[in-house]
Amino acid sequence: MTEQVRKPRARRTFSAFGEIRKMPSEYEIVTHGQNWTTRQNRTSAFEQNPSSAPNMWFKTYRDNSALQAHDWEQFRDPDQYTYRTYVNAQAESELKVHGVLEEYSAAGSAAALAPGWVETLATLYTPSRYPVHGFQQIEAYIGHMAPTSYVTNAAGLATADFLRRVTTIAYRTRELQLAQPSSDIGTDHERRVWETHPGWQPARKAVESVLATYDWGEAFTALNLVLLPTLDDVLSRQFGEIARDNGDELTWLLHGFLDADNQRRNRWSIALAEFAITQQPTSASAIDKWVARWSPIADAAAQGLATILAETPEIPRNADAVTAGAKAAREGLLRGILAPAEAVAKVSAP
Amino acid sequence: MTLLKREEWQGFVRDVDWTPTYVDYEAIYPEWHCGTGKVPREAWQGWEESYKVSYPEYVATQREKESSTYAVKAALQRSNTFQDLDEGWKSATKMHFGGVALVEYAAVIGELKMARFGLNGSWRNMATFGQLDEMRHAQITTFFGHEFVGQDAQYDWTQKTFHTNDWVPIALRNLFDGMMVAPNVVDLAIELPFTFETGFTNLQFIALSADALESGDVNFANMISSIQTDEARHSQQGGPTMEILVEHDPVRAQWVIDKSFWGSARAFAALTGPAMDYYTPLEHRKQSYREFMEEWIIDQYIHTIEDYGLKKPWYWDEFITGLDTWHHGLHMGLWYWRPTVWWRPKAGVSKDERAWLASKYPNWENVYGDKWDVMIDQVNANNVAATLPETLPWLCSTCHLPCCNATPSRNGEWKVRTWQLDYDGKKYHFCTNACRQIFWKDRDNVNHETLIDRFLAGQIQPMDVGGILNYMGMTPDAMGDDPDYGAWTRDYIGRAVEGIAAATVQGATQ
Ligand SMILES: [Fe+2]
Ligand SMILES: [Fe+2]
Ligand SMILES: [Zn+2]
């Protein structure tokens, strides 16, 4: 130890980035290789008996998932969100949400809603805190199991986005309960509707089934690529539009603000699918298979909700049109990653 | 018009559980992940956090914290304080960055597990904030450590440590995988938020932020005190879980808490112990590690578990005795095997420092003095090479730390001994009796090769120090060495070993 060690060239960044010319961004510095259970040359995810139950779970449902890439650490969230970016953006956006909540509350708008629309809110909107919480749980699982911290962080932030959405729904539930005392909003009504209303049952079936899907690649595909793009279109875009048609501008505005979270999730989810397919062509067939399995389930969920939107509002929307819109939204999002010809072309032209 | 108060509507955010019917409850909440055990499922309906928080409050508060923490960092970056910091203090920070950054991330993975499998909606919501908090801690710690990579390659281990098979991260992965990620969520909520966060992270964070300020490292103090302010929020997942578990299955509650306290105590003896009693410059030391443990951990801990109707752990006497030995033995191990660590461990045994150690630990000279004297004499004989390791120590099959605990023999002599166990045709070694007991009780999970097992099985090639360092991912630019041999040996130049050692003891007891 006494002899002088030759002084190597000073580092500019973590050795984990290898020999690079470009300095990694702050996003990359704080996101890269954070999850040690995904490190190279490990015998098992956890530093314990390789055949312990936790190790077998991660081996089966993460490492052996059909969704594969040869180096997950190369994945990047197109939005490059860090924790700091996230709380800054969301605090800003919540200020806007509070602004419109105050503005419409001052105008007494909740009390002035038409009866058919109040019923729609009570049937479709206030009970939706249950499925959104289900999304929150599934997204947490995706983050828990993801094969790189780049995906865990994106999914962790998306998990928090669902809590944000439940919070907004909860706030409005109370507001509507106060403004519409003769409705049963804010009672055990919401849970009953979610558990028994025929319009909700296909959606509940979908959420419960994805909750019980443990292969991380399939859970990710089922939720982020199939169920959410379909139901976001019904519960966010179309519901917002119908709200505006029915004189509920506040709902329309709020959905506009919160939809930014959905769009951000869509961007990284599609980027992730493209990344896996480009790195490992067999991932394409896995995604195809899962999309084919979950699409009818998502369509049925949309169809069920569409029946509510066709029945209760003063100014309703045709159920088939709602369902078709949702399906088209999903297909539009997945277009780039599903068409086999395009997928093959991508792989052969790296 | 103002907004509705949180109390008016938060009940709806918390009330999000329903009864699944399309899929079995057990398929969504598998016992293996949820771990309800003897607790009836309905009992979890009573789970309630004491300190409520809402999403808009969360993002607003956290944005403020982030901007002030990074503003302090930016302001300090322009001054050149780093160069003026003491080597011992720098080593404490390297240990912290490398030993903690990715542990914060393991907590992200653990919180996400509770956000999915927690047995009550409000618990899962709390864990959703928890994973955000831990993401913050991982990112801020990583980013602050990264700043120094250009000035000192050892800071590369901020990110690298847990990707290697160095013995320190093997021991820590073993501990934290076992208490933060792998357990069912009921055990997890007791091991991570209850035992570790409310107990031990206080020690690391309070002790280190005080030491940081003493050492003039405002940036570091700023970072860790800001991190600590998040703990109160997510660590409260432990209390309500504990209450429910204790009510229905106190035996399990006692075991889970005892096991995680022990594992945490072993790890802290290895990391916080040496930093407090050896690396921190003498003039900046306020309390010894033992005093700190007594004040901040032990009283509070016993108080807390008794509040829940639990007893002191079965190993209590062994633990208390260990406060005088564990971290001294581990410090010596870290110093001796210094090429395997990513910091520069100071020996910290100059005359003054020894006098301080002997005043805090009356047996110190008796147990450790002669061993350091051997090192001192080699250094003073210009033979540093003789103080470098050629072999590996036995590693404990439970905590994966070196078996280096001295215990008194009947004749009053202190000896390092290991506890052994013959199981399944193999001999296992343990650092302590409790480590052996924990292994036996938890053997399906923890039965796992130590670094020594791997070495003896020929997995590490070549079978010499070079091969071992390579296996550990250690490179010459990050390899630890004593920062200043003269600092702790020049007091003793030309003296007879026995005399000085004895004199120090005398001086301390007068
Ligand atoms: Fe933390
Ligand atoms: Fe924490
Ligand atoms: Zn041990």
Side-chain angles (χ1 to χ4, degrees):
Chain A
M1 285 303 109
T2 41
E3 78 267 30
Q4 207 52 42
V5 178
R6 191 162 42 89
K7 223 182 161 84
R9 199 158 42 95
R11 283 193 188 289
R12 297 169 64 212
T13 187
F14 292 141
S15 55
F17 290 105
E19 289 301 318
I20 47 161
R21 273 190 217 111
K22 203 172 132 262
M23 185 69 176
S25 64
E26 179 177 334
Y27 161 72
E28 291 170 310
I29 290 165
V30 301
T31 315
H32 195 83
Q34 292 272 300
N35 182 350
W36 74 55
T37 75
T38 64
R39 72 191 181 280
Q40 292 183 334
N41 305 321
R42 62 185 186 271
T43 42
S44 53
F46 301 117
E47 195 74 66
Q48 54 178 225
N49 189 347
S51 53
S52 72
N55 271 327
M56 294 314 289
W57 186 279
F58 272 72
K59 185 176 180 173
T60 308
Y61 293 124
R62 183 186 73 186
D63 298 348
N64 292 343
S65 171
L67 189 62
Q68 290 287 336
H70 61 76
D71 183 7
W72 285 112
E73 290 302 310
Q74 297 311 313
F75 173 72
R76 300 291 181 273
D77 165 11
D79 288 85
Q80 311 241 329
Y81 258 39
T82 62
Y83 177 88
R84 185 149 65 124
T85 325
Y86 181 79
V87 291
N88 283 339
Q90 300 304 73
E92 200 58 45
S93 180
E94 281 292 291
L95 281 181
K96 291 188 193 141
V97 166
H98 288 174
V100 295
L101 285 173
E102 273 183 322
E103 185 187 331
Y104 281 81
S105 148
S109 66
L113 296 169
W117 184 247
V118 174
E119 196 189 336
T120 309
L121 289 169
T123 315
L124 195 82
Y125 181 65
T126 59
S128 69
R129 75 172 194 265
Y130 291 98
V132 175
H133 180 77
F135 301 154
Q136 182 183 321
Q137 288 181 273
I138 302 161
E139 200 68 50
Y141 182 73
I142 294 167
H144 176 67
M145 296 293 287
T148 163
S149 38
Y150 282 102
V151 175
T152 294
N153 289 7
L157 300 177
T159 304
D161 290 338
F162 289 118
L163 179 55
R164 178 190 188 196
R165 201 159 133 193
V166 172
T167 304
T168 314
I169 298 166
Y171 184 93
R172 294 215 61 217
T173 302
R174 176 62 178 158
E175 190 180 58
L176 290 162
Q177 184 186 33
L178 293 171
Q180 301 283 345
S182 60
S183 75
D184 42 16
I185 288 176
T187 60
D188 59 353
H189 157 86
E190 275 84 17
R191 179 163 169 177
R192 208 168 50 242
V193 167
W194 163 243
E195 289 186 348
T196 59
H197 190 291
W200 271 114
Q201 297 320 295
R204 187 161 68 84
K205 184 178 180 181
V207 171
E208 291 178 9
S209 308
V210 189
L211 275 166
T213 297
Y214 291 114
D215 181 283
W216 100 268
E218 182 165 8
F220 161 75
T221 305
L223 186 72
N224 285 23
L225 298 181
V226 180
L227 194 57
L228 288 172
T230 313
L231 292 188
D232 282 349
D233 192 71
V234 181
L235 293 171
S236 210
R237 181 184 69 87
Q238 299 201 60
F239 183 70
E241 291 171 6
I242 300 169
R244 193 183 42 183
D245 294 347
N246 283 271
D248 183 1
E249 272 185 44
L250 174 60
T251 296
W252 175 66
L253 287 169
L254 290 176
H255 279 86
F257 292 137
L258 268 67
D259 193 52
D261 299 346
N262 301 332
Q263 298 306 326
R264 175 163 39 81
R265 187 189 61 241
N266 284 345
R267 283 192 292 277
W268 68 258
S269 298
I270 289 298
L272 177 57
E274 283 174 343
F275 172 83
I277 292 168
T278 308
Q279 280 218 339
Q280 180 54 261
T282 56
S283 290
S285 53
I287 292 175
D288 279 356
K289 184 183 71 187
W290 291 325
V291 169
R293 179 183 299 162
W294 290 95
S295 292
I297 296 168
D299 288 338
Q303 178 71 37
L305 300 173
T307 58
I308 301 172
L309 289 171
E311 273 166 24
T312 52
E314 310 284 329
I315 301 168
R317 189 172 275 198
N318 174 278
D320 289 339
V322 171
T323 317
K327 192 174 176 192
R330 178 185 73 237
E331 287 173 351
L333 186 72
L334 298 182
R335 189 159 297 128
I337 57 170
L338 279 186
E342 287 176 42
V344 172
K346 258 192 212 315
V347 172
S348 51
Chain B
M1 251 338 245
T2 49
L3 291 169
L4 296 171
K5 285 196 169 54
R6 190 217 305 133
E7 299 73 43
E8 294 220 38
W9 47 268
Q10 191 162 41
F12 299 124
V13 185
R14 303 178 71 252
D15 176 13
V16 283
D17 279 294
W18 76 87
T19 310
T21 55
Y22 292 100
V23 170
D24 287 345
Y25 180 92
E26 170 71 21
I28 295 182
Y29 297 101
E31 174 59 15
W32 187 80
H33 282 309
C34 298
T36 193
K38 291 182 187 166
V39 183
R41 214 181 271 169
E42 317 77 67
W44 299 106
Q45 287 167 11
W47 196 99
E48 188 178 356
E49 73 279 21
S50 46
Y51 159 26
K52 309 265 189 317
V53 64
S54 74
Y55 183 91
E57 290 167 332
Y58 180 86
V59 288
T61 317
Q62 297 301 101
R63 173 168 71 169
E64 290 312 307
K65 281 191 203 168
E66 284 286 274
S67 54
S68 69
T69 312
Y70 281 84
V72 171
K73 178 175 190 286
L76 289 167
Q77 218 152 19
R78 286 187 293 271
S79 63
N80 258 342
T81 43
F82 180 79
Q83 279 77 4
D84 307 328
L85 296 175
D86 177 82
E87 251 340 297
W89 171 251
K90 280 188 193 170
S91 279
T93 70
K94 289 168 186 171
M95 238 172 150
H96 180 88
F97 284 123
V100 172
L102 268 62
V103 175
E104 300 280 15
Y105 204 81
V108 173
I109 309 290
E111 293 283 346
L112 284 168
K113 185 171 192 172
M114 295 193 286
R116 165 60 182 86
F117 293 106
L119 289 158
N120 179 297
S122 21
W123 178 0
R124 297 190 293 270
N125 288 343
M126 251 323 142
T128 298
F129 290 126
Q131 57 96 17
L132 286 180
D133 285 344
E134 300 302 357
M135 194 187 297
R136 171 177 192 241
H137 303 170
Q139 296 196 347
I140 210 168
T141 309
T142 302
F143 196 60
F144 276 52
H146 183 269
E147 184 184 334
F148 307 115
V149 168
Q151 307 184 52
D152 187 333
Q154 290 185 319
Y155 287 96
D156 184 34
W157 280 59
T158 300
Q159 190 277 342
K160 179 174 171 173
T161 304
F162 285 98
H163 288 265
T164 73
N165 280 319
D166 187 274
W167 64 278
V168 180
I170 288 177
L172 295 179
R173 280 198 301 265
N174 162 74
L175 172 69
F176 293 121
D177 281 343
M179 65 184 237
M180 284 186 179
V181 189
N184 65 66
V185 294
V186 172
D187 289 359
L188 207 164
I190 288 169
E191 297 178 339
L192 172 59
F194 192 88
T195 309
F196 192 73
E197 285 174 336
T198 38
F200 286 88
T201 54
N202 271 337
L203 178 72
Q204 178 80 355
F205 286 81
I206 296 169
L208 272 185
S209 67
D211 287 352
L213 287 175
E214 282 287 321
S215 306
D217 195 348
V218 180
N219 198 30
F220 190 89
N222 161 50
M223 175 190 80
I224 55 175
S225 27
S226 181
I227 287 175
Q228 182 65 12
T229 60
D230 294 334
E231 292 303 301
R233 179 173 41 236
H234 60 257
S235 69
Q236 58 164 340
Q237 291 172 82
T241 311
M242 192 66 174
E243 265 169 44
I244 294 172
L245 185 64
V246 165
E247 189 186 335
H248 298 276
D249 193 352
V251 174
R252 174 175 162 203
Q254 182 84 52
W255 157 247
V256 170
I257 201 171
D258 288 355
K259 176 175 76 162
S260 50
F261 182 89
W262 181 265
S264 306
R266 289 292 300 146
F268 270 79
L271 298 180
T272 310
M276 288 188 74
D277 282 359
Y278 294 90
Y279 302 168
T280 302
L282 191 54
E283 64 273 22
H284 295 157
R285 288 182 209 161
K286 289 224 172 72
Q287 278 180 311
S288 69
Y289 175 68
R290 185 191 170 103
E291 288 162 345
F292 201 90
M293 287 293 283
E294 282 169 342
E295 179 175 341
W296 291 90
I297 301 274
I298 294 166
D299 292 348
Q300 181 207 357
Y301 181 75
I302 291 298
H303 195 72
T304 309
I305 59 173
E306 282 176 355
D307 275 355
Y308 284 95
L310 298 174
K311 298 185 289 281
K312 273 183 192 170
W314 82 86
Y315 50 66
W316 199 248
D317 291 344
E318 189 178 18
F319 164 70
I320 295 291
T321 311
L323 289 175
D324 284 333
T325 53
W326 289 4
H327 69 293
H328 298 304
L330 288 163
H331 166 65
M332 193 177 275
L334 288 166
W335 185 85
Y336 185 66
W337 285 286
R338 57 203 180 283
T340 68
V341 300
W342 63 93
W343 62 89
R344 294 186 185 91
K346 263 179 34 171
V349 289
S350 66
K351 264 190 192 174
D352 290 349
E353 289 165 321
R354 276 168 81 151
W356 182 86
L357 286 161
S359 72
K360 300 291 182 184
Y361 303 94
N363 258 322
W364 192 92
E365 278 298 338
N366 186 17
V367 186
Y368 303 100
D370 55 342
K371 287 151 198 97
W372 282 110
D373 283 335
V374 172
M375 304 293 177
I376 288 165
D377 289 346
Q378 296 287 13
V379 174
N380 282 338
N382 212 6
N383 194 10
V384 170
T387 67
L388 282 165
E390 280 164 10
T391 55
L392 290 167
W394 281 114
L395 293 170
C396 172
S397 284
T398 292
C399 70
H400 292 251
L401 293 169
C403 296
C404 57
N405 290 326
T407 49
S409 312
R410 273 196 205 119
N411 63 5
E413 217 178 290
W414 287 71
K415 265 201 165 138
V416 170
R417 58 181 287 219
T418 74
W419 281 255
Q420 295 173 2
L421 177 73
D422 291 305
Y423 166 63
D424 212 9
K426 202 186 142 189
K427 188 177 283 300
Y428 291 85
H429 297 263
F430 300 93
C431 69
T432 46
N433 192 31
C435 269
R436 180 172 62 177
Q437 292 165 316
I438 289 168
F439 177 92
W440 182 246
K441 209 165 164 184
D442 217 7
R443 58 194 178 278
D444 289 344
N445 275 340
V446 301
N447 186 358
H448 179 53
E449 288 175 323
T450 67
L451 195 71
I452 297 302
D453 297 329
R454 300 172 204 194
F455 182 78
L456 296 176
Q459 293 173 34
I460 301 171
Q461 294 294 340
M463 290 178 77
D464 56 23
V465 172
I468 291 166
L469 290 173
N470 189 44
Y471 181 82
M472 290 183 177
M474 191 44 81
T475 52
D477 58 342
M479 207 172 275
D481 193 3
D482 192 292
D484 184 357
Y485 286 93
W488 51 282
T489 54
R490 70 173 72 89
D491 288 347
Y492 308 98
I493 290 172
R495 57 85 165 137
V497 176
E498 299 281 326
I500 293 288
T504 313
V505 177
Q506 247 175 19
T509 46
Q510 269 164 12

